[in-house]
Amino acid sequence: MEGHLSRLRTSRPPPASGRRTRRLSVLSPRTAAGQVFLLQSVIVVLLVVAAVASIMLQAGRDAVRQGRRESVVAAQSFANSPGVSLALRSPDPTAVLQPRAEEARKRAGVDFIVVMNTDGIRYTYPYPSEIGKKFVGTIEPALEGRTVVEQAGGPPLPTGEGTAIQAVVPVTDARGRIVGLVSAGITVTNVSRLWVPQLPIVLGVGAITLVLAAAGTTAVSRRLLRQTRGLAPTELARLYEHHQAVLHAVREGVLITGEDGRLLLVNEEAKRLLGLPADVQGRHVQELGLPEQMARVLASPEKVTDQVYLTHDRLLAVNKRPTFPEAEHAGSVVTLRDTTELAVVTGRAEGALGQLKLLYEAGMRIGTTLDVERTAQELADVAVPRFADVVAVDLLDSVVRGDEPTTGGWRHLLRSAISGDQRMLPVYRLGEVITFSPETPQMLALEQGRGVLEADLRQAHGWQEQDPERARRALELGVRSLVTMPLRARGVPLGLAHFYRTEGSPAFEPEDVAFAEELGARAALAIDNARRFTREHAMTVTLQRSLLPRGQPEQDALEVAWRYLPSEAGVGGDWFDVIPLPGGRVALVMGDVVGHGLHASATMGRLRIAVHNFATLDLPVDEVLGKLDDLVVRLDEEDDSGAAPGDEKGAGLTGATCLYAIYDPVVGICTVARAGHPGPVVVNPDGTLVCPEVPASPPFGLGGYPFETADVHLAEGSQLILYTDGLVKNAARDIDTGLDGLRRALGGAGAGERTPEETCRAVIGALKPASLSDDIALLAARTRRVPSSSVAEWDVPSDTTVVPSVRAECRTVLSGWGLEETAFTTELILSELVTNAIRYGSPPVKVRLLRGRTLICEVSDGSSTSPRLRRAETTDEGGRGLFLVAQFALRWGTRYTSRGKVIWAEQILHDGPPGPADHTPVDVLLEQFGDPLM
């Protein structure tokens, strides 16, 4: 401030030309002159528009009157012209009257003259195509001998379409009888020529007016700018505002005196330091009642630099400089600074430095973990004892759970952290739910969104009414002061922090509220980060568990057990599945998506759904992996194409591994293929371990590589072990060590007699690390075989006449299995499938029946053509076979083999859906479909 005033005193103000190097245009809308000109322009435009509208209205009225007059004259002149009545009675009135009407129309200057009979049928018209049509207008008064003038619209005219002013007059013969009618008219659009010539005059006058307004505004504006030295009104107002703001906001006293020693200007700080009255301006310095030494300094023209004078118990540092020496009336500028306040300022600076150190320490100590309650405890520990004696933190219950907080949960908070001597404050216990009443400081802080200070709790009635007994005990123990602070992050309230001081500490002051707000803001951000992590982790775990199998599927081929352990760093993308397939087979899946978090879980879900879809299509093992590889490549491309311009390409999905196996319990063969995934381990019934040689293929995401399969023969009672790499590899051991540990856990005495559940328990107990850095998925499946007594298979000649014998064979097999109640339905299904295979397939045709949880009928042939279900019309002779199969079977479908295809149908035994109500013989039912061969 002093340096600024010194520069003002030692230099003249710069010339007007240098104050503003860039000037706005005089007529710019941002200037007052431009706004005045804009208003003038609007007024002129409105006047021009009003004048044009008035001319148009007047011209329109004149045009209508003139049109009525001209149309009546033209119509009567033509109606009374010689020969018109005779022409109307001639055999061809149009041939006589059309040329005359057109000639009369052109001479009269009207747009049409129409001659018509008494029925309104035209004999003439400017366009011959309209002759013979009905006249558009009112003719009844004219038939009575009167003249009709009206406005109406009719057919097109040479002058264009528009509303016509037309007159209709009667044509009488020598006896006075009305023998016809004549109509003449002119269109309204044709009369606009009456006002158009006046338009340039009005527009020209408006333009001249605008030019004169612009010239006058420019001249006045330039004169004002010269008088204000180039400063616009807004700049003058801003300069004055800045002058007042600086003068009265500085923490230094400023006085300006004239050459006669009178005060010209005094700011508020100078009045406070010198004890001057409010009306001091204009008085002489000797009349102010100041000490003699100070009065002499103010009245003297000499310079003063940092001299200290005693004035009213204050030590004032005085600086004095003359104003512009070249001015007509030179004076002095005096600045005053109170040195007695420096000690107070120094003490406050030390306190502020301590608070800054505490804030720095809070930034280092708060938020070291992503646990909500631990972060709240860190806030309480930081504030004690350097800021408060006892600190308690209450959080909304939804915040502790990781949910979004709502205002509905404000009154119910969970005590999450306490620090300090709890004996000094009978506080609520940790984990206790607190309900604050509306008048408490805590609720006021939440509602107002800022800290609330209770400097003396003995006078805080709202705080005492919350729990009178606890409040009384707290006051007896010496609690005296409270600052309660809402914890808010990103505009969302998370809870409250309560800072208490006791009798041995000074009471809180308003400055402490600001510090508590800063401390609470930093802690609230860390708590909110922990809350978001808790929510995301819970969402990811929920998503992961919802995507993984929840129960055992119904199947007879395998006895299955599994384990899934999420990592501590975040749920990853490990998954497994057990999928029943047609023919009693079961597909086993074990996969791993690289990465952790929602992205990995969501990608895992997409891959798992894709595996289910491909399994539903009953594709071979290598084709399933190939299609999954294509899917991962597309997902990578989508992630790259959807990335922001500054994002790293490929930062999303980076790859996935998978092992896919199909076990057939009829033949005891498991077909396995793997894409970058660890191979399976087989535990034979005698306890020996075998690691099948399954060809290794690259992980998903590379694209363009084939996947090879291997057939593994499994004895009944063998266990197939599938797992992810998190089981055998972590930071503490490499994969070879992990595989050795897995073999030891699977081996040992009685290994072949374990159940899958016992196997999973033994493996996890032996290999689970102390800290899970990656997900672990484990699947154990013990094989079963379909006994030969539950399988019936035979060849069928390629001849439709053998279908009855196939039904008979089926009946015999079902009778041997004790399934006579399903014979009717099974024979019907088998007849349709065999007939389709013989007619539309190719040899060899085979039939296989499997008895297990369900009854499965399979018909195979050498063709790859798949049948299609359709609804036959009433007139069709065939096309109902698969419809019957679909109605009587629980499910049916097609699967392709290397030698053709298999059509299968599945039925539920015993407690399944009932069959048809009446047991009509199969041959009688089939005869209804018009098949003489069956």
Side-chain angles (χ1 to χ4, degrees):
M1 177 66 187
E2 181 181 347
H4 177 66
L5 293 176
S6 300
R7 288 193 296 271
L8 289 178
R9 289 190 292 264
T10 56
S11 61
R12 278 273 190 182
S17 58
R19 291 183 181 178
R20 191 177 183 189
T21 59
R22 297 177 59 189
R23 295 185 179 179
L24 296 174
S25 175
V26 173
L27 299 182
S28 172
R30 296 175 59 183
T31 63
Q35 295 171 3
V36 171
F37 175 69
L38 182 60
L39 178 62
Q40 293 174 343
S41 302
V42 171
I43 294 174
V44 171
V45 170
L46 291 177
L47 291 176
V48 170
V49 171
V52 172
S54 176
I55 292 173
M56 290 176 63
L57 292 175
Q58 184 62 37
R61 296 191 189 97
D62 295 342
V64 171
R65 287 196 296 269
Q66 181 178 348
R68 294 170 65 92
R69 184 169 56 254
E70 291 180 358
S71 60
V72 170
V73 172
Q76 289 178 349
S77 299
F78 190 83
N80 296 327
S81 61
V84 174
S85 59
L86 294 177
L88 288 172
R89 294 180 179 276
S90 64
D92 189 2
T94 298
V96 178
L97 295 176
Q98 176 68 9
R100 295 178 58 185
E102 285 301 297
E103 182 180 357
R105 178 181 67 82
K106 295 176 181 179
R107 289 199 309 269
V110 295
D111 292 329
F112 64 88
I113 294 179
V114 179
V115 182
M116 68 196 86
N117 60 15
T118 56
D119 294 329
I121 303 302
R122 302 189 188 99
Y123 288 146
T124 66
Y125 200 77
Y127 293 127
S129 60
E130 301 295 331
I131 297 175
K133 297 181 181 180
K134 184 73 173 180
F135 175 73
V136 179
T138 304
I139 62 174
E140 287 77 8
L143 294 176
E144 297 175 0
R146 299 195 301 272
T147 298
V148 180
V149 181
E150 62 179 350
Q151 293 185 8
L157 295 169
T159 57
E161 297 181 359
T163 302
I165 302 173
Q166 60 187 17
V168 183
V169 300
V171 179
T172 57
D173 58 6
R175 297 181 180 179
R177 292 179 300 179
I178 298 174
V179 296
L181 303 173
V182 175
S183 176
I186 184 171
T187 59
V188 175
T189 56
N190 195 29
V191 301
S192 63
R193 62 182 183 273
L194 298 176
W195 60 271
V196 170
Q198 303 180 43
L199 186 61
I201 299 176
V202 177
L203 296 179
V205 172
I208 293 173
T209 304
L210 286 177
V211 172
L212 293 177
T217 303
T218 302
V220 173
S221 177
R222 288 179 176 175
R223 180 174 179 83
L224 290 175
L225 287 175
R226 286 195 299 270
Q227 293 180 349
T228 59
R229 297 189 179 185
L231 294 178
T234 55
E235 293 176 325
L236 290 174
R238 189 180 303 113
L239 183 61
Y240 177 77
E241 292 172 356
H242 292 172
H243 169 267
Q244 291 295 104
V246 172
L247 182 65
H248 296 287
V250 294
R251 294 289 295 172
E252 290 187 0
V254 178
L255 302 93
I256 300 180
T257 60
E259 60 180 354
D260 56 354
R262 295 186 177 276
L263 291 178
L264 302 179
L265 186 144
V266 183
N267 69 348
E268 298 299 327
E269 184 66 10
K271 294 178 181 178
R272 184 184 71 86
L273 295 177
L274 296 177
L276 302 177
D279 58 346
V280 69
Q281 191 165 328
R283 298 171 59 180
H284 198 277
V285 294
Q286 298 294 342
E287 303 174 0
L288 302 179
L290 298 175
E292 179 180 357
Q293 190 178 17
M294 176 61 69
R296 185 171 61 254
V297 169
L298 295 179
S300 172
E302 298 179 357
K303 295 181 181 180
V304 176
T305 301
D306 290 334
Q307 293 188 10
V308 179
Y309 299 94
L310 178 62
T311 305
H312 303 308
D313 299 330
R314 294 178 182 271
L315 292 176
L316 302 181
V318 180
N319 285 273
K320 183 178 180 182
R321 293 292 185 273
T323 57
F324 300 111
E326 296 84 357
E328 182 178 353
H329 301 287
S332 300
V333 177
V334 180
T335 60
L336 309 173
R337 185 170 64 253
D338 190 359
T339 59
T340 56
E341 295 179 353
L342 290 179
V344 179
V345 173
T346 302
R348 292 181 177 177
E350 293 177 354
L353 181 60
Q355 292 181 349
L356 287 176
K357 292 181 179 179
L358 182 57
L359 287 177
Y360 175 77
E361 183 179 347
M364 299 296 294
R365 293 176 55 184
I366 299 176
T368 57
T369 66
L370 289 175
D371 181 81
V372 174
E373 294 183 334
R374 177 57 187 166
T375 304
Q377 186 63 47
E378 290 171 348
L379 166 62
D381 294 340
V382 164
V384 175
R386 296 166 61 181
F387 180 68
D389 298 319
V390 179
V391 176
V393 179
D394 302 333
L395 298 178
L396 274 67
D397 185 56
S398 58
V399 173
V400 178
R401 296 194 308 268
D403 299 334
E404 289 290 341
T406 60
T407 56
W410 282 7
R411 294 188 59 186
H412 305 286
L413 291 97
L414 187 69
R415 178 57 50 88
S416 303
I418 303 174
S419 183
D421 189 358
Q422 299 185 27
R423 295 176 302 174
M424 299 295 296
L425 179 65
V427 295
Y428 295 89
R429 295 186 301 273
L430 285 175
E432 189 173 352
V433 177
I434 308 171
T435 302
F436 289 108
S437 61
E439 301 301 326
T440 59
Q442 290 83 355
M443 284 302 298
L444 293 177
L446 279 175
E447 293 174 355
Q448 298 174 3
R450 55 185 177 83
V452 174
L453 169 64
E454 292 290 352
D456 189 354
L457 290 177
R458 292 170 295 186
Q459 308 298 326
H461 301 291
W463 176 77
Q464 297 179 20
E465 291 175 359
Q466 167 68 24
D467 193 330
E469 180 60 25
R470 291 177 185 266
R472 183 186 61 78
R473 292 173 54 195
L475 294 175
E476 290 176 355
L477 292 173
V479 176
R480 288 296 179 265
S481 185
L482 165 68
V483 170
T484 182
M485 183 62 53
L487 301 175
R488 298 173 61 89
R490 303 177 181 92
V492 179
L494 306 177
L496 290 166
H498 317 294
F499 303 94
Y500 292 93
R501 285 183 181 175
T502 59
E503 289 181 341
S505 302
F508 285 114
E509 298 180 357
E511 292 80 4
D512 296 321
V513 177
F515 173 77
E517 288 180 347
E518 180 65 26
L519 184 62
R522 300 192 179 198
L525 185 60
I527 292 174
D528 190 56
N529 290 336
R531 178 191 67 82
R532 289 169 177 263
F533 173 79
T534 302
R535 179 183 63 178
E536 181 177 348
H537 188 269
M539 291 172 57
T540 307
V541 171
T542 302
L543 174 63
Q544 181 83 347
R545 297 193 182 278
S546 66
L547 294 176
L548 292 175
R550 296 188 178 184
Q552 295 276 1
E554 294 184 357
Q555 48 86 27
D556 297 325
L558 297 171
E559 180 185 355
V560 182
W562 58 66
R563 291 290 187 275
Y564 172 75
L565 302 177
S567 70
E568 298 176 357
V571 180
D574 292 11
W575 95 94
F576 56 89
D577 225 327
V578 180
I579 307 172
L581 298 177
R585 300 167 302 142
V586 177
L588 299 177
V589 189
M590 181 65 67
D592 185 3
V593 176
V594 177
H596 295 85
L598 287 176
H599 186 275
S601 298
T603 303
M604 177 271 289
R606 298 168 76 174
L607 293 180
R608 181 170 181 256
I609 293 173
V611 170
H612 272 268
N613 293 334
F614 297 147
T616 302
L617 297 176
D618 211 347
L619 298 176
V621 173
D622 55 340
E623 289 190 24
V624 171
L625 294 186
K627 292 187 178 298
L628 289 176
D629 185 34
D630 294 339
L631 175 61
V632 172
V633 171
R634 288 199 303 272
L635 293 178
D636 273 333
E637 293 174 352
E638 291 176 3
D639 288 344
D640 286 345
S641 62
D647 291 348
E648 181 182 356
K649 294 293 184 181
L653 181 66
T654 57
T657 64
C658 181
L659 184 146
Y660 187 70
I662 296 180
Y663 173 68
D664 190 343
V666 177
V667 296
I669 295 178
C670 184
T671 304
V672 186
R674 61 191 181 106
H677 202 84
V681 178
V682 176
V683 182
N684 292 319
D686 59 0
T688 59
L689 299 181
V690 177
C691 295
E693 293 294 335
V694 180
S697 300
F700 294 149
L702 300 179
Y705 292 92
F707 297 94
E708 302 181 41
T709 62
D711 291 335
V712 181
H713 293 268
L714 299 176
E716 185 173 8
S718 301
Q719 288 197 41
L720 184 66
I721 310 300
L722 307 181
Y723 55 92
T724 57
D725 59 356
L727 180 68
V728 296
K729 182 179 69 173
N730 53 48
R733 60 174 176 242
D734 57 21
I735 189 169
D736 293 332
T737 305
L739 289 175
D740 291 340
L742 176 63
R743 295 187 188 98
R744 288 194 298 270
L746 292 175
E753 300 176 358
R754 293 175 181 166
T755 64
E757 183 66 28
E758 292 172 345
T759 300
C760 289
R761 189 181 305 116
V763 171
I764 293 299
L767 297 180
K768 179 183 176 182
S771 177
L772 289 175
S773 59
D774 194 7
D775 294 8
I776 294 178
L778 174 66
L779 177 67
R782 184 160 62 182
T783 61
R784 298 168 180 161
R785 292 289 296 273
V786 177
S788 58
S789 59
S790 297
V791 181
E793 185 176 8
W794 65 91
D795 296 332
V796 177
S798 185
D799 186 358
T800 56
T801 59
V802 302
V803 174
S805 64
V806 173
R807 294 199 299 271
E809 180 70 20
C810 174
R811 191 180 306 115
T812 301
V813 172
L814 295 180
S815 178
W817 288 345
L819 300 177
E820 292 86 352
E821 70 277 5
T822 63
F824 171 78
T825 304
T826 307
E827 291 178 42
L828 176 62
I829 292 173
L830 199 58
S831 297
E832 295 301 332
L833 297 182
V834 170
T835 302
N836 283 339
I838 294 174
R839 285 185 172 180
Y840 308 111
S842 59
V845 178
K846 292 185 178 182
V847 173
R848 186 171 75 167
L849 298 178
L850 299 176
R851 183 187 64 172
R853 187 184 302 268
T854 60
L855 178 62
I856 302 173
C857 300
E858 295 183 348
V859 177
S860 62
D861 65 85
S863 172
S864 60
T865 303
S866 177
R868 181 173 59 88
L869 179 65
R870 68 183 183 90
R871 184 177 294 277
E873 302 293 338
T874 56
T875 58
D876 291 345
E877 295 184 359
R880 299 177 176 84
L882 288 180
F883 180 76
L884 287 175
V885 172
Q887 295 298 314
F888 283 93
L890 175 65
R891 60 180 67 88
W892 72 279
T894 304
R895 74 173 183 269
Y896 296 95
T897 65
S898 59
R899 297 180 297 274
K901 69 176 182 295
V902 177
I903 310 297
W904 57 270
E906 186 176 346
Q907 304 174 72
I908 293 182
L909 299 178
H910 305 302
D911 57 346
D918 57 343
H919 297 281
T920 307
V922 178
D923 299 285
V924 177
L925 182 61
L926 293 177
E927 287 176 1
Q928 298 177 4
F929 290 88
D931 191 349
L933 298 177
M934 303 178 64

